[in-house]
Amino acid sequence: MDAEQGRAPSWPAEWLRGAVGVCTLHVIAGGPTYGYAIANDLARAGLGPVKGGTLYPLLARLEEAGLVEVEWRAGDGGPGRKFYTLTEAGRLEHERQTSEWLDFTALTRTLITSRAAAGTIRKEPS
Amino acid sequence: MMLNTHTPHVEPDWAEAFLLELRVRGVSGRRIGAALAEVDAHCAEAGESAREAFGDPETYASALALPASPERLPSWRGELVSSAFGLGGMLTTLVGFGAWQTDTRVTVTTGAVATVGLVMAGSALIARYAEPLLRAVVRRWWVAGALAVVPMGLFVAVLVAGSQSLFTLPAVPTLAGGLLMLVVNTALALRERDTVDDPVVGPEGDSGPGSLEDGALMRGLARLGPWLFPLLTVLMAIPLLLV
């Protein structure tokens, strides 16, 4: 894999599980692409290596939900590749998830950069 | 014997376990072929083995959550009904034929009635637990052997133990009834073969990645299948003719 040029590649698995859906939709929104290329784009963005066992079940769910269209194209001298393109429903889902994810990350960012004591009810020291 | 799925970049044992797990789950042949071809394409480009990139084949097959095709599961039940007609037809024809040869009547014993009951109960159980049973047969060869041998042994024991005569039947109508059951069995099996033939085919067609290569043996068995019980009946009737 020619990847992992970004930040530290080993984010906690539970963070990746939350982010990989919206990130994959975003990569596909950039134009028709296929599994291995998506994995590479995600790794290059700094998410670290995303295993086939994580990525392809996600792509299968997008396909079953009608969020992507698939088309088989010839590979460069190798086996054919399954290309994914967002459908109209997929485009709307991409917008929705992006907006929600931005709200969520803004919220967590605000919280963790604010003064810890503000507005919280603290247990009185006994 | 390993299955050939035309996926040179995937370990054969991984591809086989993956294919069988999806088959047991009732996924259509086209979806299985496409999933195999995609694994092959990924492994070819990543230079990783399927086990490295996708992990355990059965876990991956389950994670894909591909829908079962609606006509696949009932087909097991159809096959069971047609086999019951085949087995019943074969035995009825043989006893009818034997009685006709010796100019006697067919004696129906308590053991014979009990065996029919056991076959029906067993068939219902198999139909009810088709999926876990198939999975066990696919994963452990001895389960298939046990499923073939244990019921046979049980039937023979019941037939031998229940030798008390209940009633007799005339030879010719029994023979005719048996032959009719064989005709029903073959007709059902022929229809079954035509309607639920669901080969594993990859996106590039018959010999492309993800397509399961049918060996000559498998093709021969598929062609012979619907005629199995009539053929067995003829073979087993030959000794009766020679007596």
Side-chain angles (χ1 to χ4, degrees):
Chain A
M1 272 207 190
D2 54 325
E4 298 160 30
Q5 292 166 4
R7 294 188 46 177
S10 56
W11 299 104
E14 59 269 30
W15 292 8
L16 279 177
R17 263 201 297 282
V20 77
V22 64
C23 293
T24 301
L25 277 174
H26 187 74
V27 171
I28 303 173
T33 183
Y34 59 98
Y36 179 69
I38 297 171
N40 257 344
D41 283 350
L42 294 175
R44 231 183 257 122
L47 287 181
V50 178
K51 283 282 167 196
T54 306
L55 178 63
Y56 290 92
L58 169 68
L59 292 172
R61 282 197 295 281
L62 296 178
E63 186 182 345
E64 288 305 324
L67 302 180
V68 291
E69 268 173 359
V70 304
E71 188 198 354
W72 284 87
R73 299 186 194 169
D76 298 333
R81 293 162 175 164
K82 187 177 181 180
F83 274 78
Y84 296 83
T85 314
L86 285 192
T87 59
E88 183 55 23
R91 201 184 54 74
L92 292 173
E93 181 65 14
H94 171 226
E95 277 174 16
R96 190 186 68 79
Q97 284 198 22
T98 302
S99 141
E100 285 192 352
W101 189 259
L102 287 177
D103 286 350
F104 179 72
T105 47
L107 196 135
T108 50
R109 188 187 183 95
T110 307
L111 178 68
I112 63 179
T113 52
S114 63
R115 265 167 43 91
T120 57
I121 299 166
R122 294 215 153 194
K123 201 176 171 189
E124 291 295 322
S126 55
Chain B
M1 189 182 72
M2 277 288 165
L3 303 175
N4 178 11
T5 50
H6 299 104
T7 47
H9 308 94
V10 180
E11 307 91 285
D13 63 328
W14 195 98
E16 181 172 302
F18 180 60
L19 185 151
L20 291 176
E21 179 61 27
L22 289 176
R23 262 295 189 227
V24 169
R25 287 171 176 269
V27 175
S28 77
R30 284 202 170 272
R31 282 184 204 267
I32 298 176
L36 270 168
E38 198 171 34
V39 170
D40 187 60
H42 182 95
C43 291
E45 257 185 293
E48 289 178 272
S49 71
R51 199 167 284 280
E52 277 175 305
F54 294 88
D56 174 65
E58 278 137 21
T59 312
Y60 178 58
S62 148
L64 278 179
L66 296 174
S69 94
E71 70 273 18
R72 287 244 12 124
L73 277 181
S75 86
W76 297 109
R77 282 168 207 161
E79 241 158 72
L80 210 62
V81 169
S82 106
S83 299
F85 267 106
L87 192 63
M90 181 176 81
L91 296 176
T92 313
T93 304
L94 286 173
V95 292
F97 185 71
W100 177 66
Q101 277 282 91
T102 52
D103 209 11
T104 51
R105 286 172 69 88
V106 175
T107 308
V108 178
T109 62
T110 45
V113 173
T115 304
V116 170
L118 277 174
V119 168
M120 283 162 72
S123 304
L125 274 178
I126 292 176
R128 174 73 186 74
Y129 298 104
E131 202 181 309
L133 266 175
L134 270 173
R135 190 166 286 134
V137 166
V138 163
R139 293 206 182 134
R140 285 171 286 270
W141 62 268
W142 56 264
V143 174
L147 277 177
V149 172
V150 170
M152 279 298 159
L154 187 66
F155 296 159
V156 170
V158 168
L159 275 174
V160 171
S163 58
Q164 196 189 343
S165 167
L166 281 178
F167 54 90
T168 63
L169 291 171
V172 174
T174 306
L175 179 59
L179 289 172
L180 183 69
M181 281 161 82
L182 282 177
V183 170
V184 171
N185 153 253
T186 301
L188 284 176
L190 280 173
R191 203 191 58 180
E192 195 81 1
R193 189 181 63 177
D194 292 342
T195 52
V196 297
D197 196 20
D198 178 29
V200 173
V201 183
E204 289 169 33
D206 276 347
S207 51
S211 293
L212 179 61
E213 176 91 37
D214 269 350
L217 181 70
M218 292 304 284
R219 272 201 304 275
L221 279 178
R223 211 167 297 151
L224 189 68
W227 306 98
L228 181 67
F229 283 109
L231 269 173
L232 281 176
T233 309
V234 170
L235 281 177
M236 287 161 121
I238 290 173
L240 293 177
L241 276 173
L242 297 177
V243 169

